[in-house]
Amino acid sequence: MSVWDGHMGWLGALDAGITDRDMTTEEIARAEAESCFGKDGVVLEKDGSLGEGYRILAEGNAWRVRGGKTGLLYGVYRLVRHRLAGEKLPEGDERPQYGLRMIDCWDNMDGTVERGYSGRSIWFEGGRLTYRPERIRMLGRLLASVGVNCLCINNVNVHEPAQGLIDEMLPDLKAMAGLLRPYGVRLMVSVDFAMPMRCGMSTADPLDEEVAAWWKDRAEKVYAAVPDLAGFLVKADSEHRPGPFTYGRTHADGANMLARALRPFGGTLVWRAFVYNCMQDWRDTRTDRPKAAYETYQPLDGQFDDNVILQVKHGPFDFQVREPLSPLLLSMEHTHLAVEFQLAQEYTGHQIDLYYMPPMWDEVFSAMGKDRPVAIAAVSNLGRDDCWTGDPLALANLFAYGRYAWDPMCGAEETARIFIRMTWGFEKGDEDILARALMGSRGIYEKYCAPLGICWMVSPNGHYGPSPDGYEYQLWGTYHRADRDAVGIDRTSSGTGYLDQYPEEFQRIYRDPEKCPDEYLLFFHRRRYDSVMRDGRTLIQRIYDDHFEGAALAEKMAEDVKKLPFPERDRGEICRRLDLQVKDAAEWRDVINTFFRRLSGAEDERGRKIWR
Ligand code: GCV
């Protein structure tokens, strides 16, 4: 029995007793195999040629798993999923779609987590790396079991003393890397572009030779401590972070300088493409925030070094409930790209509201194709809470992320069912109820939040709960410009021109307001409240209907899910959050409907209660 008595997530049915001590990857693979399949149930055979992949073969009553070091471990966990949840085994070799499958933690060294909804940081407190080793191993085990291979442990907003992670805190970083290494998880660190200035230099100009030499020297020290560090992650010139623009340099100049420092050690430089004007004047109607990333990076296509990966958020805004695919992900033919998701439910309910993400990811991959990016990243939803993600149901997103990083076409519902079987082992009828709730959860949340792709009607700063005008006169470039007649932004050629950034086949889908899919209508178009939608309803009626329906569906979903036989340990948190969701969905309904009722003066055709 492990000394860590925390939640074992979807591996709860399996106690291999491995997380209270250091073991090699092979020992872990053997222990897991034995605990699930008995002593001779699985034969492990080393085969380095399979990279991170594996091959599983049936041999009488036993299994043979062939693979390289980590591949063997992944292969064993794949068998475990087959045993516990009936996940169909591959016929031939199985390999991950993306080489780099990372989770980005926005953890600060004071123990807080930016946009964290699962308690304090797992690895930081009081300005230091301080953690329970068994908990870190347990996390390594969970991540390995779904094939995540990289963890960036500190916030992309690098606040002091986090700069010290690649300086005086290197011995601690080394110890932490050692805990995760056997699980095939490599560390990455977020670095501050202006770090040379912390160390006494007068500039961080990427074309300054001394600056470049400083980073080379720094990289050498870092890799001496952690030879398998995956690399650095950088947020530059974004939301007041320092970057190359200060020196009149491009982001290719900045990224390449850092990438060249990492190159001798095989490190990767992940550079985030989250650049926009966060000091916009709301009176300025020509600047349109969704255009920013493409305008900044598209002209640089082909200028990034080979070991640079440009990490692009999946939508052009910022992880809203509904956004179209970022056009940057459809361009940049000559640049390595990573698509970035957010497991932390910043704009999607703070892990209070149920929000299962794979249906959204399915849309992203079907629009973008799975082969376009070379890497995948997701902002972490992890924290020190007992079940890792605050809400035990939010574990489903962590589980699903790993599965999608291996196979983006794996399917949202099947993933939900595998997760449910492994985690709670429900009877078929109960599994159906929970799978339906997970699959429907995004649609429900979307209905009671900001309408039809408009985005940003959420409370500023905290990003939970409705505030329709909360961002309207702010600096963040996030306007809906609702007045008494109409709402939305014309982003076609006759408006801001954002739509022109897309290939023609995408423009065709969105260009004509009569044909644009409803869920994106107000993202791409400004529409009168009395305009008639394809189903014959007016826009205002559709807004009212969605909000009434969304709140009612949330209530029904909560009622269904609360009846399920969760173990005591999970039941309390799940029910508490569902009750809150029902209350908060009603608040969204009332605030949004009242906002539009007051502006438009339009009554609800069905005479339901809208406040004045
Ligand atoms: C880490 C949004 C969030 C910020 C976050 C930023 C980013 O703006 O609200 O907290 O900062 O995205 O992705 O860098």
Side-chain angles (χ1 to χ4, degrees):
M1 180 71 182
S2 157
V3 293
W4 165 244
D5 63 352
H7 204 292
M8 301 238 183
W10 53 88
L11 292 180
L14 206 68
D15 183 5
I18 58 174
T19 53
D20 52 354
R21 64 202 144 100
D22 284 325
M23 293 168 79
T24 65
T25 308
E26 201 174 324
E27 285 166 347
I28 296 167
R30 284 192 195 289
E32 294 285 24
E34 198 174 317
S35 88
C36 194
F37 299 92
K39 194 150 176 12
D40 301 313
V42 181
V43 179
L44 301 180
E45 187 185 314
K46 268 257 175 71
D47 180 350
S49 70
L50 293 170
E52 281 189 302
Y54 48 77
R55 185 174 308 154
I56 296 174
L57 304 157
E59 272 183 9
N61 290 332
W63 297 100
R64 177 174 294 272
V65 179
R66 236 179 245 158
K69 194 161 109 191
T70 318
L72 285 177
L73 186 61
Y74 291 151
V76 167
Y77 283 125
R78 186 68 168 80
L79 274 175
V80 166
R81 294 204 318 250
H82 173 67
R83 167 63 62 89
L84 297 183
E87 181 176 351
K88 213 168 151 268
L89 287 172
E91 270 162 26
D93 301 351
E94 198 162 44
R95 292 168 199 267
Q97 173 71 34
Y98 305 112
L100 187 63
R101 306 176 294 281
M102 61 190 289
I103 290 193
D104 298 351
C105 302
W106 289 354
D107 291 32
N108 300 312
M109 296 207 64
D110 63 1
T112 59
V113 180
E114 184 159 343
R115 311 306 176 188
Y117 313 106
S118 317
R120 295 179 71 75
S121 168
I122 299 176
W123 20 85
F124 301 129
E125 196 54 72
R128 299 179 42 226
L129 265 156
T130 157
Y131 46 80
R132 294 180 57 171
E134 64 272 30
R135 180 154 198 156
I136 302 297
R137 290 190 203 100
M138 184 61 230
L139 179 62
R141 180 181 184 232
L142 279 175
L143 297 181
S145 75
V146 287
V148 168
N149 67 357
C150 178
L151 198 60
C152 184
I153 55 167
N154 63 310
N155 193 351
V156 287
N157 293 326
V158 185
H159 306 294
E160 272 293 345
Q163 292 187 340
L165 283 171
I166 54 166
D167 199 344
E168 68 274 6
M169 280 181 259
L170 273 173
D172 303 320
L173 195 71
K174 175 180 174 165
M176 167 99 171
L179 286 174
L180 287 166
R181 188 172 294 122
Y183 295 92
V185 179
R186 293 162 75 193
L187 289 187
M188 184 173 277
V189 277
S190 297
V191 301
D192 183 346
F193 192 78
M195 172 124 175
M197 297 170 81
R198 178 199 202 226
C199 300
M201 296 189 68
S202 59
T203 177
D205 182 350
L207 297 193
D208 182 300
E209 280 177 15
E210 283 177 31
V211 170
W214 184 91
W215 277 108
K216 282 196 171 134
D217 176 61
R218 180 63 27 205
E220 205 173 311
K221 292 191 168 94
V222 170
Y223 277 87
V226 187
D228 59 352
L229 190 85
F232 293 162
L233 174 64
V234 183
K235 171 176 176 178
D237 292 312
S238 166
E239 300 183 330
H240 311 295
R241 306 316 300 163
F245 288 165
T246 310
Y247 310 97
R249 312 299 186 199
T250 71
H251 276 214
D253 294 331
N256 292 342
M257 181 274 292
L258 287 170
R260 285 166 200 166
L262 297 176
R263 174 177 292 286
F265 313 100
T268 299
L269 194 270
V270 182
W271 187 270
R272 291 178 86 233
F274 185 54
V275 169
Y276 68 98
N277 175 9
C278 65
M279 300 292 283
Q280 189 177 330
D281 184 338
W282 59 270
R283 299 166 191 86
D284 165 13
T285 51
R286 274 181 316 178
T287 307
D288 187 18
R289 173 166 160 182
K291 290 170 76 178
Y294 185 95
E295 282 173 348
T296 307
Y297 294 99
Q298 208 286 327
L300 302 180
D301 189 22
Q303 294 182 30
F304 291 98
D305 282 8
D306 247 17
N307 61 331
V308 174
I309 295 181
L310 191 65
Q311 184 168 299
V312 184
K313 290 191 182 185
H314 65 86
F317 258 139
D318 188 9
F319 302 134
Q320 298 298 290
V321 180
R322 170 69 63 174
E323 295 184 47
L325 181 69
S326 166
L328 198 59
L329 288 165
L330 297 166
S331 61
M332 307 298 284
E333 287 291 309
H334 309 289
T335 304
H336 295 315
L337 296 178
V339 58
E340 180 177 342
F341 297 112
Q342 189 184 39
L343 303 177
Q345 290 176 233
E346 177 178 358
Y347 294 98
T348 52
H350 283 203
Q351 282 134 248
I352 295 169
D353 302 41
L354 186 60
Y355 189 103
Y356 176 60
M357 299 181 175
M360 173 176 65
W361 302 341
D362 284 347
E363 291 170 7
V364 170
F365 287 112
S366 93
M368 170 183 70
K370 66 179 169 50
D371 297 325
R372 187 68 197 86
V374 300
I376 182 167
V379 178
S380 156
N381 59 356
L382 295 163
R384 220 181 291 168
D385 277 359
D386 179 66
C387 83
W388 307 93
T389 52
D391 180 3
L393 292 172
L395 269 173
N397 288 325
L398 182 65
F399 175 84
Y401 172 67
R403 201 163 180 264
Y404 271 71
W406 268 67
D407 176 10
M409 302 297 154
C410 61
E413 181 168 345
E414 199 201 324
T415 303
R417 287 183 182 276
I418 292 169
F419 168 76
I420 297 166
R421 278 177 217 152
M422 290 185 76
T423 312
W424 292 298
F426 288 160
E427 301 280 311
K428 177 78 170 66
D430 289 339
E431 179 189 308
D432 289 346
I433 292 172
L434 189 52
R436 206 166 36 241
L438 289 171
M439 288 299 290
S441 58
R442 178 202 183 205
I444 293 173
Y445 186 82
E446 186 175 9
K447 269 187 197 279
Y448 61 73
C449 290
L452 306 168
I454 194 77
C455 311
W456 298 106
M457 287 193 164
V458 70
S459 296
N461 310 319
H463 301 162
Y464 189 82
S467 179
D469 262 347
Y471 273 107
E472 200 54 17
Y473 303 99
Q474 292 226 11
L475 302 162
W476 302 93
T478 53
Y479 316 111
H480 54 67
R481 306 198 195 275
D483 63 19
R484 63 178 193 171
D485 300 318
V487 57
I489 307 287
D490 179 359
R491 295 198 159 98
T492 67
S493 312
S494 53
T496 70
Y498 163 74
L499 187 59
D500 299 341
Q501 295 181 344
Y502 286 89
E504 173 57 25
E505 63 269 30
F506 283 76
Q507 294 194 26
R508 237 180 285 130
I509 300 172
Y510 300 120
R511 187 185 289 136
D512 178 354
E514 306 295 332
K515 295 191 187 136
C516 177
D518 289 354
E519 58 274 23
Y520 295 105
L521 185 64
L522 299 179
F523 190 97
F524 285 104
H525 300 281
R526 181 164 185 82
R527 299 296 278 162
R528 289 182 58 85
Y529 299 119
D530 57 6
S531 61
V532 179
M533 307 206 32
R534 273 191 303 273
D535 65 5
R537 285 181 285 178
T538 57
L539 172 65
I540 191 71
Q541 190 56 40
R542 172 66 191 273
I543 292 175
Y544 294 156
D545 287 351
D546 274 6
H547 285 78
F548 282 114
E549 211 176 298
L553 286 169
E555 210 170 320
K556 170 78 175 77
M557 179 185 71
E559 203 181 292
D560 292 346
V561 174
K562 281 164 66 179
K563 284 191 201 132
L564 297 174
F566 292 108
E568 248 351 274
R569 174 174 203 166
D570 294 335
R571 160 171 300 285
E573 277 307 316
I574 290 175
C575 293
R576 187 176 72 77
R577 286 162 202 259
L578 286 168
D579 288 344
L580 269 174
Q581 173 171 7
V582 170
K583 190 167 130 293
D584 296 337
E587 184 69 2
W588 269 102
R589 174 198 64 204
D590 289 346
V591 172
I592 299 293
N593 281 348
T594 299
F595 174 79
F596 283 109
R597 159 74 187 69
R598 284 181 181 165
L599 276 177
S600 68
E603 297 299 341
D604 170 37
E605 280 170 5
R606 296 169 60 187
R608 290 161 294 191
K609 177 78 185 170
I610 298 182
W611 301 82
R612 306 246 147 190

